[in-house]
Amino acid sequence: MAKQILLNNINVPGLASYEVYRKLGGYSAVEKTLKNYTPDEVTAEVKKSGLRGRGGAGFPAGMKWGFIDKSTDNPRYFVCNFDESEPGTFKDRHIGQLNPHQLIEGMILGSYALGARSSYIYIRGELFYVLRIIEKAIDEAYRNGFLGENILGSGYSLDLHCHPGAGAYICGEETALIESLEGKRGNPRIKPPFPAIVGLYNCPTVVNNVETIANLPWIMNNGADAYAAIGIGNSNGTKLISACGHINKPGIYEIELGLPVKEFIYSDEYCGGILNGKKLKAVVAGGSSVPVLPAELILRTANGEPRLMSYESLSDGGFQSGTMLGSGGFIVMDETACIVKNLLTFSRFYHHESCGQCSPCREGTGWIEKILYRIESGKGSMKDIDLLTDIAKHIEGNTICPLGDAAAWPVASAIRHFREEFEDHIKLQRCPLSK
Amino acid sequence: MSLVKVIIDNIEVEVESGTTILNAARKIGGSVVPPAMCYYTKLEGSGGYCRSCLVKVAQGSAKDPRPMPKLVPSCRTTVQDGMVVQNITSPEVMDNRRAITEFLLLNHPLDCPVCDQAGECHLQDLSYVHGLEETRTTEERRTFEPIDIGDKIKLNMNRCILCYRCVKVADQLTDQRVHGVLGRGDHSEISTYILKAIDNDFSGNMIDVCPVGALTDKTFRFKSRVWYTNPMDAHRECSKCGGKTVLWMKGDEVLRVTGRKDKYGELEEFICNDCRFEKKNPNEWIIEGPRKIERHSVISQNHYEKLLIEENNPKIKIEK
């Protein structure tokens, strides 16, 4: 059994309540840290642990904290990004719903490290029932002295708020999240300046993913070295993978980074193989925005080495033959899945969720969807394929925020690896896989 | 303010630190100036949306000579000492500008023959330089239900490129903004809050800042093509604004009043709605003389000279 940090006690009944969480050793990290560590020491510890952002980009969390502007007297803010809405990703909801106190404990530790006096959990609007659970947990934490004035007599005070969004995917982008939190339209800001300098209410702000924050109590309890010992290379610790698609056991799994992809898909401990014994066709390894890979490239890298579930191994070969770990939304497709139709679904999503601020993404995502719809319904022409590649190329890198990239990568990769399937759609004037 | 040296398309220029690449290029002038569809000098926080001014930074600064990994919006990126920028000398930039133009035109109705903005439209200028000769899209263009935003300003949302300039005018010039962007993605639209009319002393400036024909003057609607009119600098005593305007005249009739725009299409001064909409009698104005229009503009093809205008229109007296 692999090391469990986040899902260790997840099946304990009543874990969402303060009493059960406390009995299992909860909030001991807060007690230990507020007593024995200065804020800078916490940051140093997180840096040493090599914890990387779990929201998708994999940016080292400690380094992100280090960027925060300490030269001003302005208040600092620590914000948790709970706007999980990438197709295929459903890991954060699991933590929020079943183990909210671990998230709150992480929030206290992060806020302490950054010197924040008010912190926010920005939760996706659709997850209103999770908001209720978290708010109840926050109340319990207040009642037991872990939030509010003078926590545990340490002199450190913190207010924690949970704020629901209105269900926009774009508000998962950190500056759009900040705008939305301020009560404005959720449009991403133009960077620089970055939130660490000018963030929430124009004050220095750090935004971290739920899973990143939920790792903090374990790191402070067991030490950075113990955390760094888990995993492989620069991919330290464990990662939640939400596996879905044509597999026998869809669900949320905590893996040690470095697990071979083959083992993850086929072993009974995890996905349990492909549904009905069919053949693996393709995998989207990290949520809908990362490039799709065909079976031969997801199991082995272009150099013939076994592909591992880690930031480095999955991105081995660049976008030519690799992909990204992303947010951990692991979508498996068997031989009956139509790549074009799947891509159309993704593209419809990005078209729907584009904020409309900058022109390449606003116009390009809609254009891609319309062309894909044409191809899928048998009305495409051969030059549409190159047109799609061209559109994707000109969205990528030209937009204000990464949503444009996220919309372009699946298109470019699907055509790169499955061009024949697009051509078949056009030649047959229908989907070759439909009866 | 310290001065920094920047090289744009192999031309060196010295500007104050904190200047944007776009404004440094404007200091050089000519063809190295990137097009700007959403940036507006007088509107704080504008720019960065249309992406038509993207340029390549081949060298970040003298201290850190690394190139920037992506193309950057020149209107929102400040210069560093020793920065090397490529605009028209970079094939990548030009290729992207072609693509951006295509994106902006993708859902644009291309109804220039019936659009009042034709002849002074930035999107026309942009597509003239960077556009493709034929469209690559066969898809139906998205359209919006027309809405009425008041008796002075005509909104044609189908033409809008969402530059946010009019929103910023309302935010920064008027006492209360009653319109904004509703919706998301390519269905986001400029609209008023619960069909409220936009009525404010300075709301007319939304027309002047609009780079396309999405916001036009209802009092000028379908009266004349701009290139058949004679733009004349004029002024009057006004209690609300500076009163310095351009009268767009045909014979001795004032068809339209606008603010004075510089060569980048930006207003020198904002004007009030009284001057813009209510003062259509030439006797209410002191006419200074013909407005200087850039040679390349279609408006300047209508050669007008001071003498000729006075001869043909005895009622008009031009101040010496």
Side-chain angles (χ1 to χ4, degrees), chain A residues 354 359 363 374 390 394 398, chain B residues 50-51 96 107 136 139 185:
Chain A
S354 167
S359 38
E363 307 292 348
R374 241 189 18 238
D390 190 61
H394 287 109
N398 285 348
Chain B
C50 73
R51 317 306 276 181
N96 266 296
N107 282 308
R136 293 195 292 171
E139 264 70 41

Side-chain angles (χ1 to χ4, degrees), chain B residues 27-45:
Chain B
K27 198 172 174 193
I28 300 172
S31 56
V32 302
V33 184
M37 302 294 291
C38 62
Y39 171 78
Y40 210 80
T41 313
K42 287 196 172 57
L43 297 174
E44 203 185 316

Side-chain angles (χ1 to χ4, degrees), chain B residues 58-125:
Chain B
Q59 178 179 322
S61 68
K63 265 188 223 152
D64 182 3
R66 285 176 302 170
M68 291 193 184
K70 289 195 239 178
L71 301 184
V72 297
S74 60
C75 61
R76 293 294 284 255
T77 311
T78 48
V79 294
Q80 307 288 331
D81 195 30
M83 188 184 255
V84 179
V85 179
Q86 292 174 346
N87 180 26
I88 53 171
T89 50
S90 160
E92 187 192 350
V93 169
M94 297 313 273
D95 178 46
N96 266 296
R97 204 159 286 159
R98 197 252 326 131
I100 300 295
T101 311
E102 194 176 19
F103 285 134
L104 288 174
L105 290 173
L106 192 69
N107 282 308
H108 191 80
L110 291 173
D111 56 349
C112 310
V114 295
C115 176
D116 275 337
Q117 187 85 3
E120 47 183 11
C121 172
H122 290 206
L123 191 55
Q124 275 185 330
D125 295 348

Side-chain angles (χ1 to χ4, degrees), chain B residues 248-293:
Chain B
W248 299 77
M249 306 185 68
K250 202 174 198 176
D252 55 4
E253 232 187 313
V254 177
L255 295 185
R256 179 174 73 154
V257 184
T258 67
R260 295 180 184 178
K261 291 182 183 177
D262 64 13
K263 62 177 167 182
Y264 301 112
E266 293 185 14
L267 285 181
E268 288 165 8
E269 272 176 38
F270 294 111
I271 61 167
C272 69
N273 283 10
D274 274 0
C275 289
R276 184 185 302 274
F277 298 123
E278 310 297 342
K279 308 289 172 195
K280 295 291 176 74
N281 185 342
N283 295 332
E284 289 173 296
W285 295 95
I286 298 157
I287 297 171
E288 297 163 17
R291 175 86 186 151
K292 278 203 176 61
I293 301 285

